[in-house]
């Protein structure tokens, strides 16, 4: 049998994790490692590798073919552009601490789409292939320009057979027209909720009245709409994290079981915030603690909640098709399936790229609605969009599961060729995948119950993750 | 049980395919246009119904015309019978292509016979008359023993009817590189190949199908199907000889057969060889469900679809019941005295009509 190359990494418990290029993985020890390295495999080694499909006898045999299949399925495939993030206004009625630069005061002028920009946006949408389209309204506070939202939605409903709209709103001020807009079945709400009242007020609303308004509207929306209509994201300040217990209780109370924990975004005004030293290490520790808290809490309550990104990574390890999240997409081509259109009609490959460009450090716009998408610039960004040839990633056991984030690299280091292992992105990915494999191999009941629930199966036992002794 | 063969009288002298139409709802004066292969109801009496069309007159006996409206029949004048090739009200229409087979599976429900009549021309006419968006089953014996005819049939029908699709039951023994060309002309997105694999252990599989080398041949052909992008429903009938190996098979599906579209773990059918060998083969999954559940969970955790076919719902733990659709075809389905008052009956496929009274499940009975 010819064995496909295996990469390896020592896990925290001293065992060694192995994985092939197609994401076939198993845990073993130093003994196997040295037999593998010295080409001295036993019959038992070979039988184990055969069952796990880590080798083949000849080209086009079943093992070879399914290895090729697994590898290919893990690559992100070209997709239709069917998703647009629209910023009809940059104005906002809040001043969140970490968002200063990507917003404009509520009463300022010149931060909304003009008539021509709206026409350009609709013309751009008309050129999409369909039949599905998803539109996310961002801001600023998009509901300040509900007329523009209505115009876009009306147009899309006429143009596409399947439409979905997400309004990213701070839920501060909702008048009858806003509620009527949100009432539609094809329209969803995404809001920010920083976990507990104190944190939310400190980071976002800054006054008891404004906080009350937010909670009143959130409660009203939760009671008015079916489960799944509202999602909420907490933004976490590593220096002052919210009370995670309270955060989970609150989210559960509002019927939101999936929590996407995000560190304060480095772009925008947040760059200037001092979060102290070693933010990465502290973030990783915080995130790991959050996972442990979830596991314990899930087991205790029997009501399963999840951390969104962690579960995406967990599925990415086990499944071939789990690359919904862009950070684990490989290659992660820009302006392929979605694009951002700013308040001035400029295209950006991601929302982070938009914010990064606003602070004037680098111009990551990729054309505008008048001139169309600048494919040459997209191609330049795409040159860094895969981890296949990265000198660090090619040695990393997590490469088949991992992705890239060029924009984050530019934002933090001003360049895309920093040694991968020195980047924030890699540090976070390594830590998350370490955690994923730790829990996949854990035997305790609470962990197994959460893993099963997160994977959507009835039972998970540690022997479902392969071990070679 | 729903009759698949009915009594007829006809003035035709050779077999033909016809679709029956009652046309009750339509106004006669608007003169509905009949397809050349259709016959319209002219008169319905208590015991017989008379139809007429381009193919001649047809009298259907002993069944209410409303039950056969839209059905496509293969009329056999000399025998005075007609096979209901397509029952318009059913999701379970299957063409039996041949009764020949090169395997002799221990639990075969339709033991092979030597003789063979080529009915493909009739099947083609019938398929073209199928209701919109129908899925038609192709079964045997082993249909791919006549693969030239089969591939041509699939290609032609799929081209002519962009709305319909096929489910082909095959032992997967007879594909080879030379078929790549013929298969490339078939819209494989609309064909699901139901292929049995009983074990990851070649010895166990070969023993069950009664053919040495079958396992190795099957694996070679599965690789071929993968390269073609064919949609495969892998079928594993659960029996005593292979039950213990189910978790091992699940692991191999995850590592080596991730390209399948579905894995179906199936309960046995008590007919044909299945009846003869029942005692030594039947696996009471109501007792030993744990290894079934674990295997299904393993495969699903890898993002591969897995289902339980032909499992009475009460024999399945509640948390797995949503994975056990009612798969027993309507015309073979029956319930038992134990089922009286069961709250799951609507969703439950029950039993094969010929399932023995002593059903073999130690845990079974109405769920309140
Ligand atoms: S970014 Fe880091 S974790 Fe991801 S593949 Fe590269 S080296 Fe591994
Ligand atoms: S009692 Fe009968 S109807 Fe009810 S689940 Fe069992 S087999 Fe199905």
């Amino acid at each position: 049998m010819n064995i496909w190359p295996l990469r390896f990494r020592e896990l925290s418990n001293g065992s060694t994790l192995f994985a092939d290029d197609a994401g076939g993985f198993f845990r073993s020890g130093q003994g196997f490692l040295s037999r593998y390295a010295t080409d001295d495999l036993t019959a038992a080694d070979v039988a184990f590798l055969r069952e796990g499909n880590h080798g083949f006898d000849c080209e086009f045999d079943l093992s070879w073919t399914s290895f090729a299949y697994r590898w290919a399925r893990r690559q992100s495939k070209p997709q239709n552009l069917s998703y647009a993030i629209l910023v009809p206004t940059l104005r906002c009625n809040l001043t969140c601490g970490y968002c200063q630069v990507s917003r404009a005061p509520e009463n300022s002028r010149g931060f909304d789409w003009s008539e021509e920009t709206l026409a350009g946006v609709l013309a751009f949408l008309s050129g999409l292939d369909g039949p599905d389209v998803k539109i996310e309204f961002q801001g600023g506070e998009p509901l300040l320009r509900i007329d523009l939202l209505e115009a876009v939605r009306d147009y899309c409903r006429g143009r596409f057979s399947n439409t979905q709209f997400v309004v990213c709103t701070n839920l501060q001020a909702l008048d009858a027209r806003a509620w009527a807009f949100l009432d539609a079945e094809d329209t969803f709400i995404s809001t920010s909720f920083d976990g507990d009242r104190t944190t939310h007020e400190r980071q976002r609303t800054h006054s008891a009245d404004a906080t009350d308004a937010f909670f009143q509207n959130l409660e009203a929306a939760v009671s008015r709409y079916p489960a799944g209509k509202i999602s909420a994201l907490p933004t976490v300040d590593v220096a002052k994290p919210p009370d995670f217990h309270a955060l989970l209780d609150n989210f559960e109370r509002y019927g939101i079981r999936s929590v996407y924990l995000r560190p304060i975004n480095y772009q925008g005004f947040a760059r200037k915030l001092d979060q102290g030293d070693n933010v990465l290490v502290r973030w990783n520790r915080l995130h790991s603690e959050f996972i442990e808290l979830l596991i314990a809490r899930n087991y205790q309550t029997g009501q399963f909640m999840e951390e969104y990104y962690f579960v995406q990574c967990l599925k990415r390890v086990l499944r071939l098709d789990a690359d919904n999240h862009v950070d684990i997409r490989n290659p992660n081509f820009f302006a392929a399936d979605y694009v951002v259109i700013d308040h001035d009609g400029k295209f950006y490959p991601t929302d982070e790229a938009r914010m990064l460009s606003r602070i004037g450090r680098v111009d990551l716009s990729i054309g505008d609605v008048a001139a169309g998408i600048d494919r040459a610039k997209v191609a330049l960004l795409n040159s860094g969009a895969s981890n296949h040839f990265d000198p660090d990633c090619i040695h990393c056991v997590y490469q088949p599961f991992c992705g890239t984030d060029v924009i984050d690299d530019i934002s933090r280091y001003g360049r895309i060729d920093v040694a991968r292992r020195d980047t924030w992105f890699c540090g976070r990915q390594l830590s998350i995948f370490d955690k994923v494999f730790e829990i996949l191999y854990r035997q305790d009941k609470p962990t197994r119950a959460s893993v099963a629930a997160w994977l959507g199966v009835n039972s998970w036992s540690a022997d479902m993750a392969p071990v070679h002794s | 049980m729903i009759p698949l063969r009915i009594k007829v009288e006809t003035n035709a002298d050779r077999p033909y395919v016809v679709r029956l139409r009652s046309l009750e709802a339509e106004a006669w004066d608007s003169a509905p246009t009949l397809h050349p292969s259709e016959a319209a109801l002219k008169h319905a009496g208590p015991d017989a119904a008379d139809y007429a069309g381009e193919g001649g007159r047809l009298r259907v006996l002993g069944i209410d015309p409303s039950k056969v409206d839209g059905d496509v029949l293969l009329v056999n004048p000399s025998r005075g019978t007609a096979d209901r090739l397509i029952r318009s009200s059913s999701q379970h229409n299957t063409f039996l292509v041949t009764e020949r087979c090169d395997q002799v599976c221990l639990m075969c429900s339709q033991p092979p016979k030597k003789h063979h009549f080529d009915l493909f021309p009739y099947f083609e006419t019938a398929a073209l008359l199928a209701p919109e968006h129908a899925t038609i089953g192709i079964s045997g014996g082993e249909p791919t023993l006549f693969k030239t005819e089969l591939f041509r049939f699939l290609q032609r029908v799929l081209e002519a009817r962009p709305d319909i699709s096929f489910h082909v039951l095959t032992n997967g023994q007879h594909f080879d590189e030379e078929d790549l060309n013929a298969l490339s002309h078939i819209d494989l997105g609309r064909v699901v190949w139901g292929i049995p694999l009983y074990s990851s252990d070649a010895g166990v599989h070969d023993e069950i199908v009664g053919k040495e080398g079958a396992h190795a041949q099957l694996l070679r052909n599965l690789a071929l199907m993968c390269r073609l992008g064919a949609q495969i429903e892998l079928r594993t009938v659960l029996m005593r000889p292979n039950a213990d190996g189910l978790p091992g098979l699940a692991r191999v599906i995850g590592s080596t057969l991730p390209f399948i579209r579905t894995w179906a773990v199936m309960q046995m059918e008590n007919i044909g060889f299945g009846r003869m060998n029942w005692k030594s083969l039947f696996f009471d999954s109501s007792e030993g469900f744990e290894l079934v559940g674990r295997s299904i969970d393993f495969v699903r955790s890898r993002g591969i679809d897995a289902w339980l076919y032909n499992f009475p719902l009460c024999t399945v733990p509640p948390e797995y019941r949503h994975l056990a659709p009612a798969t027993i075809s309507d015309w073979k389905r029956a319930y038992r005295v134990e089922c009286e008052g069961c709250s799951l009956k609507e969703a439950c496929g029950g039993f094969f009509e010929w399932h023995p009274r002593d059903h073999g499940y130690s845990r079974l009975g109405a769920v309140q």
Side-chain angles (χ1 to χ4, degrees):
Chain A
M1 185 173 64
N2 304 290
I3 295 161
W4 296 106
L6 293 167
R7 305 177 191 148
F8 46 89
R9 171 176 175 85
E10 197 169 315
L11 295 179
S12 57
N13 66 356
S15 65
T16 309
L17 180 74
F18 293 82
D20 60 34
D21 287 358
F25 69 90
F26 60 93
R27 202 180 73 179
S28 192
Q30 285 297 320
F32 172 79
L33 178 56
S34 59
R35 293 196 297 282
Y36 171 65
T38 56
D39 209 1
D40 189 23
L41 296 179
T42 64
D45 292 336
V46 173
F48 175 84
L49 292 172
R50 192 180 284 282
E51 185 185 87
N53 202 32
H54 301 286
F56 65 100
D57 292 319
C58 63
E59 244 179 75
F60 293 111
D61 70 6
L62 179 62
S63 304
W64 188 94
T65 307
S66 64
F67 186 89
Y69 175 87
R70 281 199 286 127
W71 186 89
R73 280 292 307 280
R74 282 193 176 277
Q75 313 310 308
S76 122
K77 50 178 190 296
Q79 297 169 7
N80 268 355
L81 189 58
S82 61
Y83 181 8
I85 298 172
L86 307 181
V87 183
T89 177
L90 219 51
R91 294 180 300 115
C92 188
N93 46 8
L94 283 183
T95 45
C96 302
Y98 35 76
C99 173
Q100 223 65 319
V101 98
S102 38
R103 68 174 289 283
E106 189 172 356
N107 300 320
S108 53
R109 302 178 67 110
F111 293 98
D112 295 13
W113 282 352
S114 63
E115 284 296 318
E116 300 80 66
T117 309
L118 172 63
V121 169
L122 299 186
F124 168 74
L125 294 174
S126 77
L128 302 182
D129 289 340
D132 302 347
V133 77
K134 181 175 171 183
I135 303 286
E136 189 173 306
F137 296 109
Q138 288 255 14
E141 170 52 42
L143 287 174
L144 292 180
R145 285 305 304 269
I146 190 145
D147 56 323
L148 296 173
L149 272 54
E150 287 166 347
V152 169
R153 191 170 73 176
D154 289 347
Y155 177 78
C156 287
R157 285 178 178 166
R159 163 72 181 78
F160 302 99
S161 44
N162 286 315
T163 52
Q164 197 190 327
F165 305 91
V166 182
V167 184
C168 301
T169 169
N170 58 27
L171 289 180
Q172 280 309 131
L174 298 178
D175 58 14
R177 192 171 169 189
W179 281 113
F181 186 84
L182 298 172
D183 280 347
E185 258 177 40
D186 61 358
T187 303
F188 296 82
I189 300 169
S190 171
T191 192
S192 296
F193 172 32
D194 287 346
D196 60 58
R197 192 184 162 101
T198 321
T199 312
H200 195 80
E201 189 164 312
R202 186 179 68 238
Q203 297 187 165
R204 294 186 182 271
T205 45
H206 309 310
S207 82
D209 285 351
T211 316
D212 287 343
F214 166 74
F215 279 106
Q216 271 159 22
N217 284 331
L218 180 59
E219 307 241 357
V222 166
S223 59
R224 192 176 174 117
Y225 299 127
K229 171 106 174 178
I230 307 166
S231 60
L233 302 172
T235 301
V236 175
D237 180 351
V238 182
K240 287 197 202 95
D243 175 350
F244 283 152
H245 288 274
L247 180 148
L248 289 171
D249 290 347
N250 284 328
F251 272 71
E252 186 172 39
R253 195 153 58 86
Y254 295 121
I256 302 166
R257 300 194 174 280
S258 183
V259 182
Y260 183 8
L261 216 57
R262 296 169 311 168
I264 284 181
N265 200 324
Y266 195 74
Q267 289 93 23
F269 185 73
R271 284 182 57 240
K272 298 172 195 155
L273 289 181
D274 182 13
Q275 298 185 79
D277 294 334
N278 241 338
V279 181
L280 177 62
V281 172
R282 285 190 290 138
W283 170 257
N284 286 339
R285 193 182 308 132
L286 212 59
H287 187 268
S288 168
E289 283 164 12
F290 188 69
I291 300 302
E292 295 302 333
L293 173 66
L294 274 170
I295 290 172
R297 187 182 186 279
N298 287 348
Y299 192 64
Q300 206 179 9
T301 62
Q303 304 292 332
F304 288 88
M305 298 183 72
E306 64 171 36
E307 201 280 310
Y308 173 77
Y309 186 57
F310 184 76
V311 169
Q312 296 304 306
C313 292
L314 175 71
K315 289 183 177 160
R316 173 82 168 138
V317 165
L318 293 178
R319 306 170 59 139
L320 305 177
D321 59 350
D323 60 357
N324 286 334
H325 195 287
V326 291
D327 286 2
I328 44 179
R329 219 178 257 175
N330 185 41
N332 182 14
F333 291 131
F334 293 102
D337 57 336
Y338 74 101
V339 71
V340 183
I341 310 180
D342 204 1
H343 71 103
D344 53 3
K346 280 190 181 159
F347 287 121
Y348 290 94
T350 68
D351 207 33
E352 289 73 23
R354 173 177 74 92
M355 293 195 246
L356 192 57
S357 304
R358 270 198 64 73
I359 59 172
R361 190 149 165 191
V362 56
D363 176 13
L364 292 173
S365 64
I366 47 168
D368 59 48
V369 287
I373 292 178
D374 179 348
R375 287 287 158 192
K377 200 154 171 194
V378 171
L380 193 65
L381 287 169
N382 279 347
S383 64
S386 139
N387 69 18
H388 287 297
F389 311 109
D390 182 283
D392 284 314
C393 300
I394 55 171
H395 298 297
C396 176
V397 74
Y398 299 142
Q399 181 273 331
F401 319 116
C402 198
T404 61
D405 192 346
V406 175
I407 304 295
D408 196 66
D409 291 349
I410 296 176
S411 116
R412 290 169 199 277
Y413 316 109
R415 51 197 303 159
I416 63 169
D417 58 354
V418 179
R420 187 65 45 187
R421 289 288 169 123
D422 296 337
T423 63
W424 165 283
F425 177 78
C426 177
R428 190 181 64 136
Q429 299 292 84
L430 271 179
S431 166
I432 289 218
F433 285 117
D434 278 346
K435 191 78 189 168
V436 164
F437 281 98
E438 178 198 327
I439 69 149
L440 278 179
Y441 282 103
R442 243 157 52 180
Q443 307 276 357
D444 61 293
K445 267 192 180 175
T447 303
R448 282 161 40 195
S450 276
V451 172
W454 293 338
L455 291 173
V457 297
N458 283 320
S459 71
W460 176 262
S461 50
D463 63 355
M464 290 187 181
V467 179
H468 179 46
S469 43
Chain B
M1 201 153 93
I2 298 164
L4 297 187
R5 177 168 286 178
I6 52 182
K7 284 215 164 88
V8 296
E9 291 167 10
T10 170
N11 56 3
D13 49 8
R14 59 177 72 181
Y16 69 103
V17 171
V18 65
R19 177 164 64 191
L20 304 182
R21 292 189 62 186
S22 295
L23 303 170
E24 282 160 330
E26 295 163 55
W28 278 103
D29 51 347
S30 69
T33 42
L34 282 188
H35 186 275
S37 294
E38 282 183 327
L41 179 64
K42 295 297 178 193
H43 171 261
D47 308 313
D50 292 314
Y51 293 83
E54 266 185 43
R57 300 187 161 280
L58 179 72
R59 168 170 287 191
V60 173
L61 304 163
I63 190 160
D64 192 310
S66 68
K67 293 220 165 86
V68 290
D69 184 23
D71 280 13
V72 182
L73 308 183
L74 172 55
V75 179
N76 189 329
S78 61
R79 285 208 196 139
T81 61
D83 291 323
R84 298 167 75 189
L85 292 182
I86 293 176
R87 289 169 298 123
S88 67
S89 60
S90 173
Q91 303 295 317
H92 305 281
N93 290 300
T94 297
F95 297 165
L96 190 91
V97 163
T98 180
E99 297 196 82
R100 283 194 201 155
C101 189
D102 55 312
Q103 297 191 157
V104 265
C105 300
L106 290 177
M107 71 300 157
C108 181
S109 58
Q110 194 115 30
K113 296 188 184 136
K114 278 234 166 62
H115 65 262
H116 170 74
F117 300 106
D118 181 2
L119 295 176
F120 273 110
Y122 301 114
F123 291 149
E124 188 172 326
T125 312
L128 296 177
L129 293 169
E132 280 203 341
H133 304 291
T135 298
I136 298 173
I138 303 291
S139 169
E142 175 45 45
T144 59
L145 288 177
F146 302 90
K147 62 183 178 182
T148 313
E149 295 84 348
L150 175 69
F151 297 160
R152 199 187 314 127
F153 161 82
L154 291 173
Q155 182 190 339
R156 289 162 65 130
V157 175
L158 289 168
E159 265 170 22
R161 286 288 304 269
D163 59 315
I164 70 176
S165 45
F166 287 97
H167 181 271
V168 184
L169 280 176
T170 168
N171 60 23
Q173 294 291 298
H174 306 283
F175 299 102
D176 57 46
E177 296 267 344
E178 273 120 62
D179 298 325
L180 290 176
N181 183 40
L183 285 163
S184 71
H185 291 107
I186 296 174
D187 178 356
L188 292 173
R190 287 189 283 143
V191 183
V192 173
W193 306 86
I195 304 180
L197 173 63
Y198 297 103
S199 175
S200 58
D201 180 326
V204 174
H205 178 90
D206 289 358
E207 180 86 27
I208 289 174
V209 304
K211 180 177 164 190
E212 208 174 311
H215 188 264
Q217 180 65 36
L218 179 54
L219 297 194
R220 271 195 294 279
N221 286 347
L222 284 170
L224 200 71
M225 305 291 273
C226 174
R227 276 163 61 197
L228 278 166
Q231 308 185 76
I232 297 163
E233 174 194 64
L234 202 69
R235 297 160 72 94
T236 306
V237 176
L238 184 64
M239 291 170 289
R240 281 201 208 169
N242 67 346
D244 283 344
L246 207 64
L249 178 57
R251 285 197 297 277
V252 167
I253 290 172
S255 70
T256 314
L257 300 167
F259 51 85
I260 62 168
R261 175 186 143 126
T262 315
W263 183 35
V265 178
M266 305 174 59
Q267 254 302 359
M268 236 179 105
E269 199 171 342
N270 183 283
I271 197 166
F273 294 153
R275 174 168 300 167
M276 264 166 55
N277 297 327
W278 185 256
K279 282 227 154 67
S280 57
L281 295 184
F282 178 76
F283 177 81
D284 178 3
S285 51
S286 71
E287 270 301 326
F289 191 84
E290 207 251 325
L291 92 167
V292 180
R294 243 190 318 137
S295 306
I296 292 266
D297 284 336
F298 179 89
V299 166
R300 294 185 80 90
S301 77
R302 266 51 180 188
I304 302 166
D305 234 1
W307 299 93
L308 302 164
Y309 286 5
N310 309 343
F311 282 66
L313 280 184
C314 55
T315 66
V316 174
E319 65 274 23
Y320 289 90
R321 286 185 188 149
H322 67 290
L323 302 177
T327 38
I328 298 181
S329 314
D330 55 358
W331 63 275
K332 310 180 182 178
R333 189 186 299 172
Y335 298 90
R336 324 302 303 238
V337 279
E338 289 92 333
C339 302
E340 216 144 287
C342 176
S343 61
L344 299 178
K345 208 164 164 184
E346 275 289 289
C348 177
F351 296 86
F352 291 101
E353 135 95 29
W354 35 78
H355 199 90
R357 192 171 319 197
D358 170 17
H359 44 69
Y361 292 107
S362 56
R363 294 174 200 196
L364 177 137
V367 176
Q368 295 314 324

